[in-house]
Amino acid sequence: MSLLDDYAEYQSSSVHRNSDVAQGPSSSFSGNGTSGVGGLASDTDGFITTTLEAEDAPIFSLDTVQFQVPNKIISLSVSNDILVLVIEGAKVLRIKLQEAHNIVEADIPLSPSSLRACNAFLDPTGRHLLLSTPQGENFYYYEGWDSAKPLSKFKSMEITAVAWN
């Protein structure tokens, strides 16, 4: 039995227990074997189906912006309405998408010609940024800093994935 099956079975049994209590006409259990718990419908086979309502906002949207990138983009990352661009010249551009006119620029302590490729990892809050080059140079940048700080303990290691806690 999978975790999803356990969840559906738990939700179904809790609805049966609650149906003994008078709930009025807006009971969350209907006689067709489907329970509506928090907008989810679970069938008796254990599958949970969700549907997009008409008023649900789309997950992604594309908008045009009036921004001229000052140099070639090496890497970019977006999280929590924060866009981070790593551009040639060893620069980091941090843009709050709600305030696109405020662009914060920070330096990466590398020679501008040595930064050709880079992985950028932005945390879910958009405040912390890890940068890793294929040469094993790694840097940490926090919002508001003037420049990224080298991570000496990760010297000569290339970071390819980050899981934020």
Side-chain angles (χ1 to χ4, degrees):
M1 190 176 247
S2 73
L3 184 62
L4 198 54
D5 293 333
D6 291 341
Y7 175 76
E9 185 177 319
Y10 170 77
Q11 291 298 328
S12 177
S13 66
S14 69
V15 169
H16 289 294
R17 283 193 303 266
N18 291 337
S19 65
D20 296 339
V21 180
Q23 296 179 357
S26 64
S27 173
S28 63
F29 179 74
S30 61
N32 63 0
T34 315
S35 64
V37 179
L40 298 176
S42 66
D43 226 354
T44 55
D45 59 1
F47 291 102
I48 297 175
T49 58
T50 61
T51 59
L52 289 176
E53 300 295 327
E55 67 271 0
D56 284 345
I59 297 172
F60 300 103
S61 66
L62 293 176
D63 292 327
T64 57
V65 294
Q66 303 241 345
F67 176 68
Q68 197 70 350
V69 181
N71 222 334
K72 182 180 170 189
I73 297 174
I74 295 173
S75 183
L76 68 90
S77 184
V78 178
S79 181
N80 198 23
D81 276 348
I82 305 291
L83 170 67
V84 172
L85 297 167
V86 180
I87 59 172
E88 280 186 348
K91 300 275 185 196
V92 174
L93 300 179
R94 187 175 184 278
I95 305 168
K96 289 183 181 179
L97 296 176
Q98 298 299 325
E99 304 169 11
H101 58 278
N102 289 338
I103 300 171
V104 178
E105 187 174 315
D107 295 322
I108 301 172
L110 277 176
S111 67
S113 61
S114 67
L115 187 62
R116 299 258 182 244
C118 179
N119 290 325
F121 304 100
L122 191 60
D123 82 310
T125 65
R127 294 180 178 165
H128 307 274
L129 176 69
L130 280 178
L131 301 170
S132 181
T133 66
Q135 295 81 19
E137 298 287 335
N138 300 297
F139 302 93
Y140 170 72
Y141 173 75
Y142 183 74
E143 70 174 340
W145 285 359
D146 293 332
S147 67
K149 309 291 187 233
L151 297 173
S152 58
K153 290 187 179 183
F154 293 103
K155 188 112 173 120
S156 69
M157 288 188 240
E158 182 181 4
I159 299 171
T160 58
V162 173
W164 298 97
N165 186 359

